[in-house]
Amino acid sequence: MSDVQVSGAGERRRRGVGGGGRGRGQGRVRGGRRWLAVVFLLPALVLLGALVGYPIVFSVVRSLFDASGDGFVGLDNYGAMFSDEGIRTALRNNVVWVVVAPTVSTVLGLVFAVLTERIRWGTAFKLIVFMPMAISMLAAGIIFRLVYDQAPERGVANAVWVGVHDTFADPAPFPGAKPRPGAVLKPSGGGAFTTGSAVRAGAPVLLPLVAVQPDDLRGARPAAVARPQPGKVTGTAWLDFTRGGGGRPNVIDGNEKALAGLRVEAVRGGRVVASATTAADGSFALPAGRADGARLRLPAADFAEAYRGVDWLGPALVTPAIIGSYVWMWAGFAMVLIAAGLAGVPRELLEAARVDGAGEWQVFRRITVPLLAPVLVVVLVTLMINVLKIFDLVYIIAPGSSIRSANVLALQLFQSSFGTDVDEGLGSAIAVFLLLLVLPVMYVNLRRLRKERRR
């Protein structure tokens, strides 16, 4: 190497122009950028630590202490959590929620997204289905508390159910009515009433009743005294009550109302030998050949209480009913995401399958669903995370008599931490356990996102 080259290299090293100088300069630039990124991220990191990190650490520590927070109990709160019947019920209900609610919502969203592509007013339908997402959980809970009300005049669900039931089953003509005390009718079991003695042709039978609801007498005609008829056992059923008083018991007075539509049965030896229905004036007639010497019975169907529908918020159905309200809200969310994924499905594949002779069900099952699998997983996992922390709907919809049957972990967490029997140690243990349940689902979601980025 010549002296000129050596001196040139030394001069470059002295001035910092060589590779080592560039490396140190780039390192300083990268270091400066890192610090700049840290400065910009610091407020978010502080806020995240204050609102997420600190509560998690505090809950873990607090779960190791007793209700007062002074005595260290180790894992006793976790043991108590699994030995408590109410918390075990909440855990079972959470399993039902995680399995049923996301699955039903996703399936309905898939069906709606596929079918709305085939109708002209699909956009309007999607808007209607998605609208419940604009309603808060609190408002939705209040709405469905009214929808599931037991009284058919207030609860929409029971109004529809009772309407369908009464279409196929005739309601009782006079629910709650009963014989006047001292009359010939006596209780005969099962809600029916039977005369104490046998009846005879030519001697009209009086069947006075009381406790008839005013609404059941609308349009009723005045009762008429039944007259003897040859070869007939006759009688009259009426409301033995005179407005304003003054009437005589067991006697048809003035404008006392007839009870039309009552079924009257002649019973001999425990068998019904003849039957008739009271006319508009309350009178009835039975053939003497069968009814003479028998006893008259008013069956329980004449007085059965009106059908009140289903106890949607009772202990047996409260959890499915609340899940139904959740599906009403979140099926629209699933539909919108799946519809967005469906828009990216190549139409050439669908048309090629149809040209090859595949039916619509085969196209849907073998092409559409597999291509939508990533979107379906996103929807399903998102709803599972959402369902694990469900609280507001259960708290608002479930009545006090069914709250234990509808209990979920988030609601139990609230009750243990802030309810009447406060135990913050147990509440913190439930919170930590709920976090542990959510973590696997979040891990699956993050892993899926990484795979999507690599693609």
Side-chain angles (χ1 to χ4, degrees):
M1 182 181 293
S2 65
D3 295 340
V4 175
Q5 290 174 328
V6 171
S7 61
E11 181 67 18
R12 285 196 300 273
R13 283 196 297 272
R14 184 179 62 82
R15 294 180 180 180
V17 179
R22 284 198 302 272
R24 286 193 296 272
Q26 291 174 353
R28 284 195 297 270
V29 171
R30 284 196 297 269
R33 288 177 179 174
R34 288 196 193 97
W35 279 108
L36 184 63
V38 169
V39 169
F40 277 104
L41 289 175
L42 187 60
L45 293 175
V46 171
L47 191 62
L48 189 64
L51 298 181
V52 179
Y54 172 74
I56 291 176
V57 174
F58 178 83
S59 297
V60 172
V61 175
R62 186 65 180 85
S63 68
L64 305 177
F65 289 82
D66 60 10
S68 65
D70 299 326
F72 181 80
V73 295
L75 300 178
D76 288 354
N77 284 323
Y78 294 93
M81 181 175 65
F82 290 103
S83 62
D84 184 88
E85 181 60 31
I87 300 178
R88 288 205 299 266
T89 300
L91 184 58
R92 285 194 298 268
N93 286 338
N94 262 97
V95 172
V96 173
W97 270 91
V98 170
V99 172
V100 176
T103 304
V104 175
S105 300
T106 304
V107 170
L108 283 179
L110 175 62
V111 172
F112 290 157
V114 171
L115 293 183
T116 49
E117 282 202 333
R118 299 175 175 274
I119 54 178
R120 286 183 296 179
W121 41 274
T123 303
F125 180 82
K126 289 179 182 178
L127 179 63
I128 294 172
V129 175
F130 189 74
M131 278 179 63
M133 284 295 298
I135 302 175
S136 68
M137 286 281 196
L138 173 65
I142 295 173
I143 291 171
F144 275 88
R145 181 66 183 267
L146 295 174
V147 167
Y148 292 132
D149 196 289
Q150 180 69 24
E153 58 270 17
R154 291 195 302 270
V156 175
N158 263 343
V160 174
W161 192 271
V162 170
V164 173
H165 173 274
D166 290 348
T167 300
F168 298 98
D170 293 331
F174 300 102
K178 57 185 178 181
R180 185 180 186 92
V184 295
L185 288 169
K186 308 296 180 185
S188 56
F193 300 96
T194 306
T195 57
S197 59
V199 297
R200 297 295 177 184
V205 184
L206 298 179
L207 304 177
L209 300 176
V210 293
V212 178
Q213 299 298 321
D215 289 345
D216 296 330
L217 290 173
R218 290 179 180 175
R221 290 171 50 180
V225 179
R227 300 186 180 278
Q229 299 180 25
K232 300 282 187 180
V233 173
T234 60
T236 302
W238 83 101
L239 174 62
D240 193 7
F241 174 78
T242 302
R243 295 188 62 181
R248 294 169 295 169
N250 300 319
V251 176
I252 300 176
D253 296 303
N255 290 322
E256 289 182 341
K257 300 299 183 181
L259 300 181
L262 280 174
R263 179 179 173 84
V264 182
E265 299 174 341
V267 181
R268 180 183 288 112
R271 294 189 308 108
V272 177
V273 295
S275 64
T277 302
T278 56
D281 61 358
S283 63
F284 62 90
L286 297 164
R290 296 182 180 181
D292 192 33
R295 297 188 180 191
L296 297 188
R297 180 176 68 186
L298 298 182
D302 287 339
F303 314 112
E305 291 293 334
Y307 182 67
R308 307 297 293 175
V310 177
D311 188 8
W312 298 104
L313 299 181
L317 293 177
V318 62
T319 295
I322 300 174
I323 290 177
S325 66
Y326 179 90
V327 171
W328 176 77
M329 288 192 67
W330 288 87
F333 167 81
M335 178 195 66
V336 170
L337 290 188
I338 295 172
L342 193 60
V345 173
R347 302 302 173 188
E348 297 80 7
L349 293 177
L350 305 180
E351 293 302 327
R354 294 188 180 102
V355 169
D356 289 341
E360 291 300 323
W361 171 247
Q362 291 176 312
V363 171
F364 174 76
R365 185 166 59 91
R366 297 183 179 275
I367 298 178
T368 304
V369 172
L371 290 177
L372 287 177
V375 179
L376 296 178
V377 171
V378 170
V379 174
L380 199 60
V381 171
T382 303
L383 292 181
M384 288 175 67
I385 296 174
N386 184 270
V387 157
L388 279 171
K389 56 184 181 179
I390 192 71
F391 164 77
D392 3 32
L393 281 179
V394 180
Y395 184 71
I396 296 168
I397 296 178
S401 58
S402 302
I403 194 70
R404 291 184 64 85
S405 300
N407 200 13
V408 289
L409 287 175
L411 179 58
Q412 184 63 45
L413 164 62
F414 171 79
Q415 291 174 334
S416 297
S417 301
F418 309 106
T420 54
D421 190 14
V422 176
D423 186 344
E424 292 185 0
L426 180 60
S428 298
I430 297 173
V432 174
F433 180 68
L434 196 56
L435 175 64
L436 294 177
L437 291 179
V438 173
L439 286 178
V441 183
M442 294 180 64
Y443 172 76
V444 171
N445 204 22
L446 292 174
R447 188 175 179 182
R448 185 199 57 78
L449 288 175
R450 290 197 187 110
K451 288 183 179 180
E452 290 292 329
R453 287 175 184 173
R454 290 170 188 167
R455 293 177 184 175

